[in-house]
Amino acid sequence: MPELKKKIAVLGAGNMGAALIGGILKAGVTSREHLRATTRSEAHAREVAERFSIRVTAGGNRAAVEFADLVILAVKPTTLPSVVEEVRDLLREDQILLSLAASLPIALIERIAAANMPVFRAMPNIPVVVEEGATAVSCNSRASAADRDLVEGIFRAVGVVCFVDEENMDAVTALSGSGPAYIYMVIEAMIAGGLKMGLSREISTKLAEQTVLGAAKLVRETGLHPAVLRDQVITPGGVTIAAIHELERHGLRAMLISAVETATNHSRNKTRAVIEKLGH
Ligand SMILES: NC(=O)c1ccc[n+]([C@@H]2O[C@H](COP(=O)([O-])OP(=O)(O)OC[C@H]3O[C@@H](n4cnc5c(N)ncnc54)[C@H](OP(=O)(O)O)[C@@H]3O)[C@@H](O)[C@H]2O)c1
């Protein structure tokens, strides 16, 4: 497998970076010797090195980039421009650049990197830490099929992945990037409903979290539209339809549709503001 020989550097082994390191090692995308990471602080570098048994340095971005075939930019969006500028003169056309930074368009990264190289932009979400992430990826025209396979393999190791046109990244950010927060609110409210009706905290939590997990799994495994599955749970004159009537009265679906629409517009505005601020 040629992928096993790929050298990968993760610049910024924070929440996302560390989750990807775990996935990369678990799925065997590359070996420990071929994986390096950087952080800002010494203490965190030690912690990540111990956790994954890989070489991690505080700073050391230049050495990591020189070593790597694939450079993953997992620092915060505000830090990314200075990190890319720091390593710019080392970037090679035969390397791949993969940015996880929200709101930073590929064209902007290309401009800062000033190198004719494949550039990928990914929007993962936080469940990558439990290998159940949802990631959307875009790339520039310099990315080959083999480059795409490599990047896809990394995100498949921590969940599901799909390729999208970059213009859809704001909608992706609003749907799956921020989506876990919406579902946490649903779980939180279902737990509260159980508590209100006298169930213990432990039982309410266990039942609510598994209900969300199980319902999502059923959507995936049956391939049925959620409305069909919902209809299957309804008995005429029964308990579920009484609850659904209440949810419809309060506009649950309209609320979620509006949330994704508002978040998409917010993300578009943020992207525009970033381009104005960092664009040359
Ligand atoms: N978290 C999410 O849900 C999510 C979702 C989608 C996309 N993203 C994107 O993923 C990226 C990382 O987010 P995160 O949540 O993982 O952030 P994070 O936990 O704060 O991680 C950032 C990491 O960057 C390191 N760092 C800072 N400056 C550095 C430098 N100059 N050189 C090397 N490393 C440096 C930090 O080191 P120290 O730990 O030593 O300070 C930290 O480990 C962001 O661009 C974000 O937009 C995140």
Side-chain angles (χ1 to χ4, degrees):
M1 256 175 88
E3 279 78 15
L4 285 177
K5 295 198 176 68
K6 290 285 180 199
K7 294 180 184 151
I8 300 176
V10 179
L11 309 189
N15 289 318
M16 271 296 156
L20 288 187
I21 290 168
I24 287 167
L25 292 173
K26 196 167 175 195
V29 175
T30 198
S31 61
R32 288 196 152 71
E33 302 71 53
H34 285 135
L35 185 56
R36 288 190 190 173
T38 65
T39 62
R40 183 173 38 194
S41 71
E42 295 280 358
H44 194 209
R46 269 197 303 278
E47 196 183 308
V48 179
E50 269 168 34
R51 182 170 160 205
F52 297 110
S53 303
I54 61 166
R55 187 167 162 189
V56 186
T57 54
N61 291 327
R62 288 179 65 79
V65 166
E66 269 189 304
F67 155 88
D69 300 306
L70 167 65
V71 177
I72 302 179
L73 302 165
V75 292
K76 290 281 188 199
T78 45
T79 314
L80 186 139
S82 64
V83 168
V84 175
E85 274 165 20
E86 180 191 341
V87 301
R88 178 160 50 196
D89 59 309
L90 300 170
L91 293 171
R92 310 183 304 265
E93 288 180 20
D94 64 340
Q95 282 176 318
I96 303 167
L97 212 49
L98 163 59
S99 164
L100 309 183
S103 305
L104 295 193
I106 289 173
L108 193 67
I109 295 165
E110 284 173 329
R111 225 177 304 156
I112 304 171
N116 288 329
M117 62 196 302
V119 179
F120 286 77
R121 172 183 175 191
M123 174 47 66
N125 66 7
I126 201 63
V128 295
V129 304
V130 289
E131 294 161 29
E132 288 292 352
T135 304
V137 180
S138 301
C139 57
N140 68 4
S141 58
R142 295 188 189 92
S144 68
D147 297 338
R148 286 168 64 109
D149 285 349
L150 176 65
V151 170
E152 188 178 346
I154 288 171
F155 291 108
R156 218 184 314 112
V158 288
V160 300
V161 51
C162 47
F163 278 84
V164 299
D165 290 336
E166 195 183 10
E167 63 187 20
N168 291 321
M169 272 299 183
D170 295 304
V172 165
T173 305
L175 176 64
S176 53
S178 304
Y182 319 155
I183 301 305
Y184 296 142
M185 288 177 78
V186 169
I187 297 173
E188 178 194 353
M190 285 175 73
I191 292 170
L195 288 172
K196 185 166 187 200
M197 292 300 109
L199 296 179
S200 73
R201 201 171 292 281
E202 192 194 349
I203 297 286
S204 293
T205 304
K206 204 169 181 175
L207 295 180
E209 72 190 21
Q210 181 59 30
T211 299
V212 171
L213 200 64
K217 201 167 175 190
L218 211 51
V219 172
R220 175 178 296 168
E221 291 189 3
T222 61
L224 291 171
H225 191 282
V228 174
L229 289 166
R230 183 194 59 190
D231 206 48
Q232 288 174 358
V233 186
I234 294 174
T235 312
V239 172
T240 308
I241 191 64
I244 285 173
H245 184 200
E246 200 63 20
L247 293 172
E248 293 289 43
R249 221 160 53 82
H250 293 284
L252 177 75
R253 286 184 298 164
M255 239 188 305
L256 287 169
I257 293 166
S258 293
V260 174
E261 185 182 33
T262 302
T264 303
N265 290 333
H266 192 81
S267 178
R268 281 187 189 134
N269 291 340
K270 265 190 89 171
T271 302
R272 265 195 289 272
V274 167
I275 292 170
E276 271 168 33
K277 189 170 171 221
L278 297 176
H280 301 280

